[in-house]
Amino acid sequence: MNDTRSQLNSLLSYWLEHNREHRAEFHEWADKIAADQKNVAVQLRRAADRMAEADEYLKKAHNLLK
């Protein structure tokens, strides 16, 4: 069980960091495309918002695991 907890702890840390990087990329690309494709930029920002929402659950799981 400790091995499973340790693995999940590592995965949660990785997923949180990975998602942070993706959110930053989504915002970057939304900014790049906004002038030409406002609707695309809106969808990218919404995706970033949803990832941030998912991260709240991942953080809660991470805290509960400790």
Side-chain angles (χ1 to χ4, degrees):
M1 182 66 163
N2 285 339
D3 189 44
T4 300
R5 288 178 66 141
S6 177
Q7 287 177 331
L8 183 56
N9 187 54
S10 294
L11 280 171
L12 285 164
S13 295
Y14 169 76
W15 290 333
L16 286 163
E17 177 62 22
H18 192 73
N19 284 355
R20 186 193 63 75
E21 292 169 359
H22 279 300
R23 281 194 318 275
E25 287 178 305
F26 292 168
H27 283 290
E28 177 186 340
W29 281 98
D31 292 344
K32 288 180 182 182
I33 198 72
D36 295 328
Q37 297 283 317
K38 183 179 178 177
N39 291 334
V40 172
V42 167
Q43 296 306 314
L44 289 171
R45 289 186 180 109
R46 285 180 180 166
D49 291 345
R50 292 293 186 255
M51 287 186 85
E53 185 179 330
D55 280 351
E56 291 305 314
Y57 294 104
L58 293 174
K59 287 176 190 174
K60 287 178 184 179
H62 201 214
N63 288 333
L64 289 168
L65 191 62
K66 292 180 181 180

